[in-house]
Amino acid sequence: MDEKEVYDICMGIDSFIADLLTESIVRGTSYDMLEAHYGIIPISRRSFYRRRRTALRLIRQREMKYTEEKNGQFAMIFEREG
């Protein structure tokens, strides 16, 4: 999943801090490092990580596909690039 798709998901969660959430997910930057680089972030650490977890859950759900096996059961397949 590329950075544009991650940004779109983050915009759906919180448009005010979508760029910070995207940077945190794509580059692995922590809240403290973002705060050190950009100054005061207008959201608490707990709320930031709660929204980050929501974004990561939505990303995982987009990567998940269901396929039917020969015996009729469905299996979850995670499609990851790279």
Side-chain angles (χ1 to χ4, degrees):
M1 184 170 281
D2 66 344
E3 191 170 345
K4 172 83 170 93
E5 289 175 309
V6 173
Y7 181 75
D8 291 339
I9 290 171
C10 292
M11 280 295 287
I13 293 171
D14 191 342
S15 60
F16 196 64
I17 60 163
D19 54 339
L20 299 174
L21 284 172
T22 303
E23 183 176 341
S24 176
I25 291 169
V26 172
R27 297 191 185 129
T29 310
S30 69
Y31 177 87
D32 294 327
M33 291 301 291
L34 290 171
E35 193 171 44
H37 187 262
Y38 295 108
I40 297 173
I41 297 175
I43 189 171
S44 69
R45 177 182 284 116
R46 179 175 281 182
S47 293
F48 177 82
Y49 282 114
R50 189 177 300 139
R51 289 189 172 106
R52 187 177 188 267
R53 279 192 308 269
T54 303
L56 288 171
R57 186 172 48 243
L58 290 173
I59 290 168
R60 270 189 250 116
Q61 287 175 354
R62 276 199 180 172
E63 293 175 344
M64 185 173 35
K65 304 289 181 195
Y66 290 100
T67 59
E68 189 172 359
E69 295 178 344
K70 290 182 182 180
N71 61 5
Q73 284 196 311
F74 287 95
M76 291 185 293
I77 306 291
F78 292 94
E79 297 178 356
R80 297 191 185 234
E81 297 178 22

